[in-house]
Amino acid sequence: MLGGLMRMRFEAGAEEEYETARGVLVDRLVRWAGEQGLPVDGFLAEAALDYRHRATADGRLGMWEPRHVEELLLFWLPQAVTELPGEEGGDAPGTLRTLLRYLHAAQLADPRGPALHDSLAAVDAAAEQYQAAMADRSRWGLAKFWATTAAEQGVEVLNGAALQQFAERAQRGEVSYDERALGAIMERRMAGRVLSDAARGEPQLPVVLPPDGELRRRAEESAIVAQFRGLAEWTGRDGRAVTAAGRLRLADARELVNVLSTGDNAEGVRSSADLPWLGLLVEWAKKARLVRVVKGRLYAVAKARPVLADPLQLWLRAFDACFELRQALVGARSGWHVESMLFDVYEDVLEDVLNTLYSLPYPMPWPRLRDSVHLGYRAQFQLDGGSHAAHRMWFEHADRDLRTVLDVLVNLGAIERDRGMADPVFLDVDLSDAGDELPADMPPELAELLGVAGTAADPAAQERARAQREELTAGPVELLRLTDLGTRAVRQRLLAVGRDAPLVGELAHAPAAGLLGVLADDYDPDTARVELAGWIAARGERDAALRQLGEAVGSVPFRVRAQAMLAVLLAALPDGEGERLLRQWRSDAQLAPLALGELAHHGLLSPEDMTDAEHLLVLAESLLQFVELAGGRDGAEEALRAQGIEVRDAIAAALDSAHPDRSGLDELRQLAARALGTPGVRRGRAQKPRRPAAKSGRQRRR
């Protein structure tokens, strides 16, 4: 993955890197908009990027689906952006349109997203409601509500003392305010419906899946798919009578056991409730909306006929219904039965377990999965009371219930079990020597989850880590992994909630720049090789495809991103083809600076093998990338000023080079002139110009 700028996705918490990239992006956006005569508000552009980074599940800055457009304009901006009385509101729809156009023009738009005209149409639709949404106080954030209320009552909100006095009067009930709006804001906060950083999900590795035709064939072989079809057919047009409790009559249940081959022992039972697998199938089919009870009879759902005819859609429907089987799988069976901890957090745990197994390159050992779920219980429940034996009993009860759920998923064909040695990647790493490098206030549960056994203050956590390691290394353990069908189903759920779930092969028809950008941002080396090979094969003529890739790298206006895209080619092309291509591009006027830098970085080209002109190209490229890494004009100017006179000769030499990015060199000249306090930099070539150290931070412009 791309280690610096310009990425189009940053992990949650990487605020310094993100804000530096945002600074460069907004600087370039404002300049481009001026050249194009398009409206843009830098503050609102930053707010839009903040929304995608901080309040969405995937955080992809270059992906703008209609739901993102609507949420930004009608919820995020009304919640987050304060427009005080008398201030002229910014043109958020216009700024967003310009941002979207720029992302496509600069080849930063995610190729898996909608076409530009579709995104613009979504802006047009939301723009009609934007002003009303901004004026709707019930959509405001709490800080915005009180700041605006104070300003409306004549308080100078930028005066800290005046604002504090207003807050004190409000606490004493001496301030009038919109009680209905404040009630709606507090209700939204209490319900957890405030857009915030909590929306971010962990990025997933790309997965490889067979075509849907093959998955459909495998779904057809599922015994549960056959049983659901058999149940729907058995109910018939007239349906089947059920008891007042909604259960099948015993005679019908015994018949259905044979029809569906459920394996239940129907001999001697007094109620259909004593046929556990049949009862689960019927309840499962209800949750999957395949059958329903109406006026005392069980009917097949007519609208489900197309689903029943398609084995893959039927299988996926059955998988999704598993999330609604809490009561059927782990609920109380009788008055004396007590639910385990899993019952209260069933859907969350099931989601976490499946997301944990998703895209793993190695099967997950049961002890590691079990203990990670235990950590979730410890964080969720108050386990301070009770003895160690009681805790062990609670966990064992929850483990039995989790195994029941996993049994169902194995029977469905979503998970497969095996036995073997755990891969070393799952063994805890003792980071006790890390010491001061770890946060002093790291929660014990997080330290334990990360395998930091030596740093956990809780001796019990250390003991659990040692016991888990012994269990994993003592011999074969149960191993769990998603099947292809299970991976397909989990990916569908991830995408439905806006998570990024790359699929190898989905970029086969992407533009070259879009392909390389996604590979640099999101793909590991192995899957990048597979994806790139598929993209080239889809073009038919290899040399023409390679030319497209080179042209794409040369057309990207961000030097650091272009360098990362070139690095992808070097690593992902087979049999040294990447190196041969870079050596060929060494003489290309557009690509030479990048190719020379990449070859030198990997030790494939020594300084002695470069000409004076090539040295200048590499120097100029380093300085242009330095400007980006410093966070745009403001950050670069500050960093150059810190370097002082030492960098003058290097800049002068770079400006004399034949680097193709003339606008970038012109910007460098202007920055140097302002930073060094001179009308221009002194011409002349340094003997050994030194690259200045990059400054990654950037002063926030808001």
Side-chain angles (χ1 to χ4, degrees):
M1 292 186 183
L2 179 55
L5 303 177
M6 279 284 301
R7 293 207 306 265
M8 295 305 289
R9 180 180 58 78
F10 292 83
E11 284 72 26
E15 292 307 299
E16 188 174 30
E17 286 187 1
Y18 161 70
E19 290 185 10
T20 302
R22 185 192 63 190
V24 178
L25 184 54
V26 172
D27 277 353
R28 301 282 181 88
L29 166 67
V30 171
R31 187 190 320 165
W32 179 84
E35 295 168 353
Q36 302 294 317
L38 295 172
V40 70
D41 182 313
F43 172 83
L44 291 174
E46 285 188 344
L49 295 171
D50 285 352
Y51 155 72
R52 280 302 272 126
H53 169 65
R54 294 179 175 140
T56 58
D58 60 334
R60 286 179 283 179
L61 305 180
M63 169 79 83
W64 286 87
E65 296 177 340
R67 59 179 163 181
H68 301 129
V69 170
E70 179 178 347
E71 191 167 68
L72 170 71
L73 293 177
L74 304 185
F75 296 96
W76 173 262
L77 293 180
Q79 172 183 300
V81 173
T82 301
E83 296 175 349
L84 296 177
E87 290 184 347
E88 182 179 354
D91 181 8
T95 292
L96 182 55
R97 291 186 190 97
T98 300
L99 173 61
L100 294 173
R101 289 189 171 99
Y102 177 69
L103 291 174
H104 282 265
Q107 304 191 75
L108 297 175
D110 194 307
R112 298 164 294 184
L116 175 59
H117 63 82
D118 291 331
S119 295
L120 293 176
V123 177
D124 293 342
E128 297 177 1
Q129 307 171 59
Y130 173 68
Q131 291 299 335
M134 287 295 289
D136 184 352
R137 293 174 183 248
S138 67
R139 302 192 187 202
W140 292 0
L142 190 59
K144 175 179 177 178
F145 175 85
W146 284 115
T148 304
T149 300
E152 289 173 338
Q153 297 184 21
V155 176
E156 176 54 61
V157 295
L158 297 181
N159 183 321
L163 195 59
Q164 178 62 34
Q165 291 176 1
F166 172 82
E168 292 171 356
R169 288 195 296 116
Q171 291 173 351
R172 294 194 299 266
E174 299 172 2
V175 170
S176 61
Y177 58 86
D178 188 332
E179 296 183 12
R180 182 196 62 81
L182 181 60
I185 292 169
M186 297 306 297
E187 181 182 353
R188 191 173 70 245
R189 288 172 62 89
M190 294 296 292
R193 289 183 281 112
V194 177
L195 295 173
S196 66
D197 296 357
R200 285 298 296 276
E202 290 298 318
Q204 296 285 359
L205 293 174
V207 298
V208 179
L209 283 175
D212 274 2
E214 172 60 21
L215 293 175
R216 187 168 284 105
R217 184 191 66 78
R218 297 182 192 181
E220 187 70 65
E221 297 173 352
S222 167
I224 290 178
V225 164
Q227 288 173 330
F228 279 153
R229 285 173 169 169
L231 174 60
E233 182 179 354
W234 176 82
T235 57
R237 178 174 299 179
D238 298 328
R240 300 282 182 151
V242 295
T243 67
R247 300 191 182 99
L248 291 173
R249 295 183 305 183
L250 183 56
D252 284 340
R254 285 173 171 165
E255 176 188 342
L256 194 53
V257 164
N258 294 325
V259 170
L260 302 183
S261 301
T262 66
D264 290 303
N265 183 4
E267 296 298 325
V269 300
R270 298 183 177 182
S271 167
S272 61
D274 299 325
L275 304 171
W277 187 250
L278 178 64
L280 175 62
L281 275 176
V282 173
E283 187 62 25
W284 197 350
K286 291 178 184 176
K287 298 298 185 184
R289 305 185 310 282
L290 303 174
V291 298
R292 61 178 178 174
V293 174
V294 179
K295 296 181 179 180
R297 301 188 72 82
L298 182 68
Y299 293 95
V301 176
K303 291 183 178 180
R305 288 171 186 166
V307 175
L308 289 164
D310 185 332
L312 179 56
Q313 293 307 310
L314 177 55
W315 192 97
L316 292 170
R317 180 80 70 88
F319 177 88
D320 283 337
C322 290
F323 288 84
E324 301 180 47
L325 293 178
R326 180 182 73 158
Q327 184 62 45
L329 290 176
V330 298
R333 302 292 189 275
S334 62
W336 56 266
H337 185 274
V338 178
E339 289 101 352
S340 72
M341 290 183 289
L342 177 61
F343 183 83
D344 290 334
V345 289
Y346 170 80
E347 289 186 28
D348 291 338
V349 168
L350 181 55
E351 197 85 56
D352 289 344
V353 165
L354 292 169
N355 290 349
T356 298
L357 296 179
Y358 182 83
S359 80
L360 277 182
Y362 310 102
M364 168 70 75
W366 161 253
R368 185 69 184 228
L369 180 66
R370 175 201 64 207
D371 290 356
S372 69
V373 174
H374 286 187
L375 292 177
Y377 294 146
R378 292 180 188 279
Q380 187 77 21
F381 297 98
Q382 294 287 342
L383 298 181
D384 297 334
S387 64
H388 177 72
H391 290 180
R392 185 175 59 204
M393 180 183 68
W394 296 340
F395 283 124
E396 288 175 352
H397 187 184
D399 291 344
R400 288 194 299 272
D401 278 354
L402 180 56
R403 282 195 166 280
T404 297
V405 177
L406 293 176
D407 287 342
V408 169
L409 291 169
V410 169
N411 286 330
L412 177 61
I415 290 176
E416 59 185 12
R417 285 191 177 115
D418 199 359
R419 288 195 66 80
M421 296 300 297
D423 190 273
V425 73
F426 294 108
L427 302 180
D428 282 337
V429 179
D430 188 352
L431 298 182
S432 56
D433 294 335
D436 296 337
E437 297 181 11
L438 294 168
D441 58 349
M442 177 182 286
E445 293 84 7
L446 179 58
E448 189 174 350
L449 181 61
L450 295 175
V452 191
T455 64
D458 183 5
Q462 297 181 35
E463 178 56 34
R464 288 194 296 269
R466 284 193 291 270
Q468 184 191 88
R469 185 181 180 88
E470 290 178 4
E471 188 176 4
L472 291 173
T473 57
V477 294
E478 181 179 345
L479 302 175
L480 301 162
R481 74 186 315 157
L482 289 178
T483 64
D484 286 339
L485 280 168
T487 298
R488 169 72 160 76
V490 175
R491 180 173 186 267
Q492 183 169 292
R493 291 182 65 87
L494 290 170
L495 293 175
V497 296
R499 296 276 297 273
D500 186 15
L503 174 66
V504 173
E506 68 178 339
L507 298 172
H509 301 291
L515 165 80
L516 293 176
V518 172
L519 296 187
D521 283 343
D522 298 325
Y523 276 57
D524 62 275
D526 290 337
T527 49
R529 279 190 284 273
V530 176
E531 189 70 66
L532 181 61
W535 187 91
I536 293 174
R539 298 300 175 283
E541 212 278 308
R542 189 174 187 84
D543 288 342
L546 294 176
R547 282 196 299 274
Q548 288 184 45
L549 294 169
E551 292 168 358
V553 172
S555 68
V556 172
F558 294 91
R559 306 306 303 177
V560 179
R561 187 167 182 82
Q563 192 77 59
M565 292 162 63
L566 205 65
V568 167
L569 288 176
L570 178 62
L573 287 171
D575 304 323
E577 186 175 29
E579 180 182 347
R580 292 194 296 273
L581 206 57
L582 262 61
R583 292 191 182 279
Q584 175 184 328
W585 289 339
R586 180 179 176 181
S587 60
D588 182 282
Q590 190 69 29
L591 296 172
L594 297 166
L596 288 165
E598 196 64 26
L599 288 169
H601 175 72
H602 289 279
L604 301 173
L605 186 67
S606 67
E608 293 75 17
D609 293 331
M610 286 190 281
T611 66
D612 288 346
E614 288 177 331
H615 276 289
L616 285 179
L617 288 177
V618 173
L619 172 63
E621 182 64 31
S622 296
L623 287 168
L624 292 177
Q625 291 192 24
F626 159 71
V627 170
E628 291 182 5
L629 290 167
R633 295 183 179 185
D634 294 343
E637 188 174 331
E638 181 182 344
L640 288 174
R641 188 178 297 112
Q643 294 292 320
I645 195 170
E646 297 180 8
V647 79
R648 283 184 178 179
D649 286 348
I651 294 175
L655 294 176
D656 281 339
S657 74
H659 196 286
D661 187 357
R662 308 315 296 176
S663 64
L665 291 178
D666 186 57
E667 179 183 25
L668 178 63
R669 178 184 291 108
Q670 297 175 33
L671 288 170
R674 291 198 300 269
L676 302 178
T678 62
V681 296
R682 181 169 57 85
R683 295 285 179 174
R685 182 172 301 171
Q687 294 297 316
K688 289 185 179 180
R690 181 168 68 89
R691 178 179 179 178
K695 177 180 175 62
S696 60
R698 175 178 181 268
Q699 186 175 0
R700 189 172 176 84
R701 297 172 59 220
R702 299 205 209 189

